Amino acid sequence: MDVAKRIEELIAILNEASYKYYVLDNPTITDQEYDKYLRELINLEEKYPEYKRADSPSQRVGGEAIDKFNKVVHKTPMLSLSNVFNEQEIRDFDERIKKEGFTPDYVCEYKIDGLSISLIYENGLLVQGITRGDGITGEDVTNNIKTIKSVPLKLTEPIDVEVRGEVFMHKKTLAKLNEQRQKEGLPILANVRNAAAGSLRQLDSKIAAQRELDTFIYYLMEPEKFNIKTHSEALEYLKKLGFKVNPESRKVGSVSHVLSYIAEALKARDKLSYDIDGVVMKHNVFAEQQEIGYTAKYPKWATAYKFPAQEVLTRLKDIIFTVGRTGRITPNAVLEPVILMGSTIARATLHNADFITSKGLKIGDIVSIKKAGDVIPAVTGAVYERRTGAEKDFVMITTCPMCDTPLQKKEGQVDYFCPNESCPARNINSLIHFVSRDAMNIEGLGEEIVEELYNLGFVKRIPDFYDLKTKKEQLLEFDGYGEQSINKILDNIEASKQNGLERVLFAIGIPGIGSKTAKVLAHRFGHIDNLMQADQETLEAIPDIGNILATNIYNYFQNNQAFIAELKNIGINMAEAASERKQNDLITGKKFVITGTINDYTRNEIKDILENYDGIVSESVSKNTDVVIVGENPGSKYDKAVQLKVEIWNEEKLKEIFNILV
Ligand code: IVH
């Protein structure tokens, strides 16, 4: 056998396969075939090391670990980009180019959230991969770069060229990696950029190889050498050479098209497999780029529009514990205040001790904060590269921070509880819950006032709220309460007596009963007396109420008869309020099924509205179904509805009906 020839053949097959799979996303051979050829190649190379070639894909699996990265000075500094944050700043940028006497002609690209690298090829072969570093000097990470499957080891032309682009990690890869790390008890990685940076700086390239990094190349150095005149041509040429170029890069022309590109990118963002943090706009003509010029840090012919941050980094200053109304202990992050999506964040829940351990958080860490569901701030992880050694380990407390009672943890549960029924923290939070918006909705009684009323001895138990009117004179003696505001609060307290059963059931804090279940119970029983007489079996038979809830409800009323009697005596309305029961001929008493996507309402919103009017929502269509609500891409339920001749409401009809309600 001609060994050299076979090696050449195998390298050609494998590199072609990688290119098709990782660059074009269009695999032509199976993983098994790839592995078979690769094994054959590695065996041959081991036997005949003299035939090992620079572009051999055997290097993709990683090689010997090194003890440090060599520093390399970039031939041309790796510049950064200026940032713009809104339409006005984009237009200002555009105006500056016009003022210089040029007609802007932009190429727009995604701003990939990764780290930039420079790749140097000689005679078409990859010889060096360098990180950006400080822009002047970077680190030689060639061994790790070679493990990235989308980086061609050999170009389609035997040229000397330097290109630049972004190394990044796909969102799914990070999720998989973190899952694995969690299993191994390792701290999780905060975001794709840190994960990619950490992976590229692995001294052991075998580890880097497992990290499945990817690249997009967006910059061709010295384009004049190849007679290339514009950035868009350069991107085409990069593709032709075998590089992975982002498919969304587009020559858009004028600034108004830049704005629509940005709007589209924002829409596409969440569906992408990788993270982007903005859009880069670049003036297309190279000769003009040189005339427009550079500052020390940035090119003046390009800028990056940054999306509003969805994630920020800040310091975890401390972890403090709060005691909920059920006695549950919650650790909370005390953060160096930061602004995220328009609001200042200084606190975030850390859920429970297991959450903190699984993320490997230490006090003093730089942590990443995201808004979960765009509202509640969540700590997603620590940035380990920024540890100084001064961070402190997290230690879970063993006694209640409020009353010092030893904490308890139930078998198989993650939460710790303060078991002391008279723990002040538990009591204060029960009182706060009672008056809160979704409960008795007593305006003017904020958390701080309730706490103060508790500490001053005015309100120790729920019934005390309704006795406050007899203590007006004493209340007036305390600073900060004007007569007018006290009168208002007292009026609101008095008015809350008429709220009705639904709110009362939620407000008194029966374990496990949220506002939804409270509504179901109020509808079903109409008056608290009926509910208190219900046995467990009756309760369990109600849809959405399982065995545990039924037991909770039953036990609660067994143990709290005197308390309920007290509330009744105060004059709190224990019947379902008339306002809670709404009627509409099109909905009340009818059976509904929802299928497909409705654009303007979520399924739960539709369900809530229908149930508010005593409509019944079920999952499957039968001859008993009155109406099927049909959205976009409906399922088989639609066909069944047609077949059974059930009335159908489309989104338009639904909106028409909902609009006349209330
Ligand atoms: S062009 C001289 N294009 O953003 C211009 N950069 O904030 C060099 N980046 O350091 C950069 N996507 O790491 C360019 N499509 C893109 C980019 C991009 C991400 C990064 C790059 C750069 C940083 C500047």
Side-chain angles (χ1 to χ4, degrees), residues 79-81 109-112 115-116 132 166 218-219 280 282 299 301:
L79 299 183
S80 179
L81 289 167
E109 292 171 10
Y110 286 170
K111 186 167 190 306
I112 315 294
L115 54 145
S116 45
R132 177 170 182 270
E166 206 79 354
Y218 46 66
Y219 202 71
V280 185
K282 305 174 176 176
W301 43 264

Side-chain angles (χ1 to χ4, degrees), residues 77-83 108-117 132 164-167 216-219 231 235 246 249 276-282 294 297-299 301-304 306:
M78 283 182 82
L79 299 183
S80 179
L81 289 167
S82 61
N83 290 322
C108 280
E109 292 171 10
Y110 286 170
K111 186 167 190 306
I112 315 294
D113 203 4
L115 54 145
S116 45
I117 41 137
R132 177 170 182 270
R164 290 174 179 177
E166 206 79 354
V167 172
F216 283 125
I217 302 302
Y218 46 66
Y219 202 71
H231 182 61
L235 292 177
N246 189 292
S249 301
I276 60 174
D277 57 350
V279 164
V280 185
M281 55 194 282
K282 305 174 176 176
Y294 298 81
K297 284 189 189 157
Y298 322 118
W301 43 264
T303 193
K306 291 281 278 265

Side-chain angles (χ1 to χ4, degrees), residues 143-202:
N143 288 349
N144 290 342
I145 290 291
K146 283 185 173 172
T147 69
I148 304 175
K149 307 278 200 349
S150 60
V151 171
L153 300 171
K154 184 183 179 184
L155 304 178
T156 55
E157 295 175 24
I159 50 169
D160 289 353
V161 68
E162 179 172 352
V163 301
R164 290 174 179 177
E166 206 79 354
V167 172
F168 64 95
M169 186 181 276
H170 289 272
K171 295 187 237 181
K172 265 209 189 111
T173 310
L174 177 66
K176 216 168 56 183
L177 179 61
N178 273 337
E179 210 174 286
Q180 185 59 31
R181 289 176 69 90
Q182 213 152 351
K183 271 195 207 133
E184 290 168 14
L186 293 169
I188 67 127
L189 303 168
N191 53 43
V192 280
R193 176 165 1 152
N194 288 302
S199 305
L200 204 55
R201 298 197 73 258
Q202 289 289 333

Side-chain angles (χ1 to χ4, degrees), residues 437-485:
R437 219 185 61 185
D438 289 342
M440 293 304 265
N441 192 23
I442 304 180
E443 232 176 283
L445 283 180
E447 296 191 10
E448 273 149 41
I449 297 184
V450 173
E451 195 169 339
E452 200 164 18
L453 289 172
Y454 182 91
N455 290 332
L456 293 172
F458 284 109
V459 180
K460 289 287 186 193
R461 307 171 55 245
I462 286 170
D464 297 341
F465 282 121
Y466 296 91
D467 199 35
L468 276 177
K469 59 185 175 207
T470 64
K471 301 191 176 133
K472 202 167 135 185
E473 297 307 310
Q474 285 152 276
L475 281 172
L476 277 170
E477 283 168 26
F478 289 97
D479 269 1
Y481 296 112
E483 176 149 19
Q484 253 190 338
S485 63

Side-chain angles (χ1 to χ4, degrees), residues 95-334:
E95 284 304 321
R96 282 196 294 276
I97 292 192
K98 282 187 193 145
K99 254 199 209 126
E100 301 265 341
F102 301 99
T103 307
D105 181 15
Y106 298 113
V107 171
C108 280
E109 292 171 10
Y110 286 170
K111 186 167 190 306
I112 315 294
D113 203 4
L115 54 145
S116 45
I117 41 137
S118 194
L119 305 177
I120 298 168
Y121 289 80
E122 283 172 11
N123 215 359
L125 293 176
L126 175 65
V127 292
Q128 205 169 35
I130 319 168
T131 61
R132 177 170 182 270
D134 59 8
I136 305 292
T137 311
E139 284 176 323
D140 183 331
V141 290
T142 313
N143 288 349
N144 290 342
I145 290 291
K146 283 185 173 172
T147 69
I148 304 175
K149 307 278 200 349
S150 60
V151 171
L153 300 171
K154 184 183 179 184
L155 304 178
T156 55
E157 295 175 24
I159 50 169
D160 289 353
V161 68
E162 179 172 352
V163 301
R164 290 174 179 177
E166 206 79 354
V167 172
F168 64 95
M169 186 181 276
H170 289 272
K171 295 187 237 181
K172 265 209 189 111
T173 310
L174 177 66
K176 216 168 56 183
L177 179 61
N178 273 337
E179 210 174 286
Q180 185 59 31
R181 289 176 69 90
Q182 213 152 351
K183 271 195 207 133
E184 290 168 14
L186 293 169
I188 67 127
L189 303 168
N191 53 43
V192 280
R193 176 165 1 152
N194 288 302
S199 305
L200 204 55
R201 298 197 73 258
Q202 289 289 333
L203 291 166
D204 183 350
S205 53
K206 287 207 175 61
I207 298 181
Q210 291 159 12
R211 295 294 178 83
E212 297 174 16
L213 296 174
D214 204 346
T215 53
F216 283 125
I217 302 302
Y218 46 66
Y219 202 71
L220 172 72
M221 307 287 291
E222 303 177 289
E224 64 286 351
K225 269 190 1 196
F226 313 100
N227 197 25
I228 286 175
K229 304 262 190 305
T230 63
H231 182 61
S232 46
E233 281 171 54
L235 292 177
E236 284 309 313
Y237 185 52
L238 287 167
K239 262 190 242 172
K240 208 172 121 222
L241 289 174
F243 292 106
K244 185 161 174 174
V245 173
N246 189 292
E248 302 305 326
S249 301
R250 204 173 326 150
K251 181 170 170 304
V252 297
S254 70
V255 69
S256 62
H257 294 106
V258 171
L259 294 172
S260 19
Y261 182 93
I262 290 173
E264 274 171 46
L266 262 168
K267 265 200 233 152
R269 184 182 193 186
D270 288 340
K271 296 188 202 99
L272 298 173
S273 71
Y274 48 91
D275 267 343
I276 60 174
D277 57 350
V279 164
V280 185
M281 55 194 282
K282 305 174 176 176
H283 180 61
N284 198 19
V285 184
F286 284 138
E288 294 179 1
Q289 284 185 0
Q290 296 317 309
E291 290 182 57
I292 299 168
Y294 298 81
T295 72
K297 284 189 189 157
Y298 322 118
K300 288 200 268 185
W301 43 264
T303 193
Y305 165 76
K306 291 281 278 265
F307 294 147
Q310 290 182 324
E311 182 187 7
V312 285
L313 298 182
T314 189
R315 191 172 301 283
L316 174 62
K317 290 201 298 187
D318 200 0
I319 296 176
I320 58 165
F321 299 87
T322 49
V323 190
R325 70 190 156 92
T326 58
R328 188 169 79 190
I329 308 293
T330 309
N332 296 281
V334 180

Side-chain angles (χ1 to χ4, degrees), residues 553-586:
I553 298 166
Y554 183 77
N555 287 345
Y556 178 88
F557 287 115
Q558 289 299 307
N559 300 331
N560 288 284
Q561 304 208 1
F563 172 64
I564 301 293
E566 209 179 342
L567 296 184
K568 273 198 211 164
N569 260 338
I570 288 169
I572 295 176
N573 177 15
M574 294 297 191
E576 192 182 15
S579 64
E580 285 165 19
R581 242 216 159 89
K582 294 177 181 163
Q583 294 268 328
N584 181 288
D585 286 349
L586 293 167

